[in-house]
Amino acid sequence: MYWDKDIETLNGGKLAELQLSRLQETLRRAAASPFYGERLQQARLAAENLTSLEDFRRLPLTTKDELRSRGREMLTLPLTEMVRLHASSGTTGQATVIYYTRQDIATWADLVARSMYMAGLRPADVFQNMMGYGLFTGGLGFHYGAERLGALTIPAGAGNSSRQLQLMQQFGTSAMHIIPSYALYLLNTFAQKGLDPRELPLRIAFLGAEPHSEDMRRRIEAAYGLKAYNSYGLSEMNGPGVAFECPEQNGMHVWEDSYLLEVLDPQTLEPAPPGQVGELVFTNLTRQGMPLLRYRTRDLASYDPEPCPCGRGFRRISRIQGRTDDMVIVKGVNIFPLQIDKVLMAMPEVGTHYLVELTRQDFNDVMLVKVEVQQSFFREDLKYLNQLRKRITEALKSELLVTPLVELVEPNTLPRSEGKVQRLSDKRQ
Ligand code: COA
Ligand code: AMP
Ligand code: ZN
């Protein structure tokens, strides 16, 4: 039932003791990095004088912007000690990059294995991983975790729906890792092929990478005939395996032996009480190469400190309720509106105005970008306009990693909003 019983059943004082000693170790390591070395000194914090977890709250929060601009200064060891990097959103120098040592990869794989084991995955399972491999952490993160656990792992990657079905049939897939909207979208492919997913040996789905409702989970469970578990993580904290549902399916246990959790009121940045939605802030407690201290995730959730019937002592967080910034997640890919702006404004043919609309068709995310063409470039030449549309599509795809639908419109024809320019509307709910 437990992957690591001694750790998973820790609670109260024993857990706080472990966290404090791991935090002291982390501060010792972080002090070797230029960024945290300076920050810890300014806050007069050192491993030796850290006597309580409350003391630690004197340290300022670390932001995504700091990670973007000063990430390399957060390394505690030379780059030659790093064996892998992952990057999240933004290919034009704006990506946030996380570096891992060999030991970091092993620690992370163990946490993902622990998560999957908690939900019931066993070495006899056949696990199909339908997340993007490459720079996304969902692919390799779960891959290493499943191998660590001992399951037969199929590195299917994202997309190619017919092939996904073929693999499931051929190898008797019993567990899958899938983006929830894609799980529903994939049902169309089953229907087209006259197949019923309930007739496959599938028994577990790990759902992650995007917000989804309880209703969506139940629909996936019913359609596939399995149990689906919510999986939360972010590249900055390694990737998946930060918080995960247990068989109770009632909130996600945060692996507090590895990630120190704070839930803060986004306005006051004071701790939010149990049950109140606040921003999740994490500190790595076991990462060697690039521990982040008090990292602001921008994700909103509440926490529940009540003991869980599963016997695990770690607090549970609710589903992610939203974000405190303007990031949107499209087909499991994080997108900041500024990325779209940068691409479009770098093209002389593009006028001053554009609008982005997100919708869902057959559970598939659709991003429609309506672009005004610059007056001097506008002509009633269909071939030219088509080529321009293709170029804009390619440029956006290359930056965003998802393919938008681009529609060109005449200059000064898009509605202007009053006050603060609101170019992106999310109509998926
Ligand atoms: N997950 C997996 N596959 C998806 C998907 C999703 N969320 N959304 C769409 N797809 C499938 C499509 O069905 C299509 O396959 P098919 O034509 O065989 O049915 C294929 O991917 C390409 O879809 P399309 O919409 O044309 O491509 P795109 O260029 O807009 O997006 C994806 C490409 C889907 C591959 C890209 O968005 C992606 O990699 N998403 C997964 C991201 C991820 O793993 N995130 C985890 C972060 S930890
Ligand atoms: P990435 O760094 O690309 O792995 O993306 C991490 C972000 O994806 C998180 O900060 C969340 O906003 C979102 N995310 C990941 N898992 C979930 C989940 N289970 N539910 C809702 N949002 C999620
Ligand atoms: Zn539990």
Side-chain angles (χ1 to χ4, degrees), residues 181-377:
S181 56
Y182 186 60
L184 290 172
Y185 172 77
L186 202 58
L187 291 171
N188 301 320
T189 314
F190 276 100
Q192 279 156 17
K193 297 199 182 297
L195 287 171
D196 183 348
R198 285 169 301 187
E199 285 167 11
L200 293 173
L202 279 169
R203 59 183 200 92
I204 299 175
F206 304 111
L207 306 178
E210 69 179 11
H212 55 288
S213 61
E214 187 60 33
D215 177 55
M216 216 159 149
R217 181 234 295 273
R218 295 298 168 208
R219 285 168 84 155
I220 292 167
E221 289 190 328
Y224 284 88
L226 46 67
K227 283 267 178 209
Y229 297 92
N230 197 357
S231 148
Y232 169 79
L234 62 161
S235 315
E236 295 91 325
M237 290 291 124
N238 292 329
V242 173
F244 219 91
E245 272 184 335
C246 68
E248 298 294 320
Q249 294 183 308
N250 185 19
M252 297 181 276
H253 286 285
V254 174
W255 296 131
E256 294 185 271
D257 61 310
S258 259
Y259 303 100
L260 186 71
L261 166 70
E262 294 173 74
V263 182
L264 304 183
D265 179 309
Q267 257 80 50
T268 62
L269 296 181
E270 288 301 316
Q276 186 177 307
V277 172
E279 186 176 328
L280 304 178
V281 170
F282 288 109
T283 297
N284 290 110
L285 292 177
T286 48
R287 196 150 73 188
Q288 306 287 313
M290 194 178 178
L292 300 188
L293 310 181
R294 306 198 77 211
Y295 181 72
R296 273 192 93 153
T297 64
R298 298 284 178 178
D299 287 323
L300 290 166
S302 60
Y303 78 94
D304 180 355
E306 290 306 311
C308 181
C310 80
R312 286 177 185 80
F314 300 128
R315 282 180 291 173
R316 283 166 288 166
I317 53 168
S318 66
R319 288 181 181 281
I320 304 299
Q321 315 277 314
R323 305 239 338 146
T324 60
D325 63 6
D326 56 1
M327 186 186 98
V328 289
I329 303 179
V330 179
K331 298 182 198 175
V333 182
N334 300 350
I335 294 175
F336 288 92
L338 193 61
Q339 291 176 273
I340 302 173
D341 197 78
K342 269 183 150 176
V343 170
L344 294 180
M345 292 306 122
M347 300 181 87
E349 297 91 340
V350 172
T352 49
H353 207 54
Y354 65 89
L355 291 175
V356 183
E357 194 181 275
L358 298 176
T359 52
R360 231 166 222 173
Q361 279 171 18
D362 281 339
F363 300 104
N364 204 15
D365 286 339
V366 178
M367 176 189 266
L368 173 65
V369 185
K370 291 184 187 172
V371 180
E372 280 185 4
V373 179
Q374 184 71 263
Q375 188 73 56
S376 52
F377 285 92

Side-chain angles (χ1 to χ4, degrees), residues 130-132 136-138 158-162 179 181-182 185 189 209 330-333 364 397 401-403:
M130 300 187 215
M131 290 282 163
F136 296 117
T137 50
N160 207 339
S161 306
S162 298
I179 294 173
S181 56
Y182 186 60
Y185 172 77
T189 314
V330 179
K331 298 182 198 175
V333 182
N364 204 15
K397 183 182 180 180
L401 308 176
V402 293
T403 316

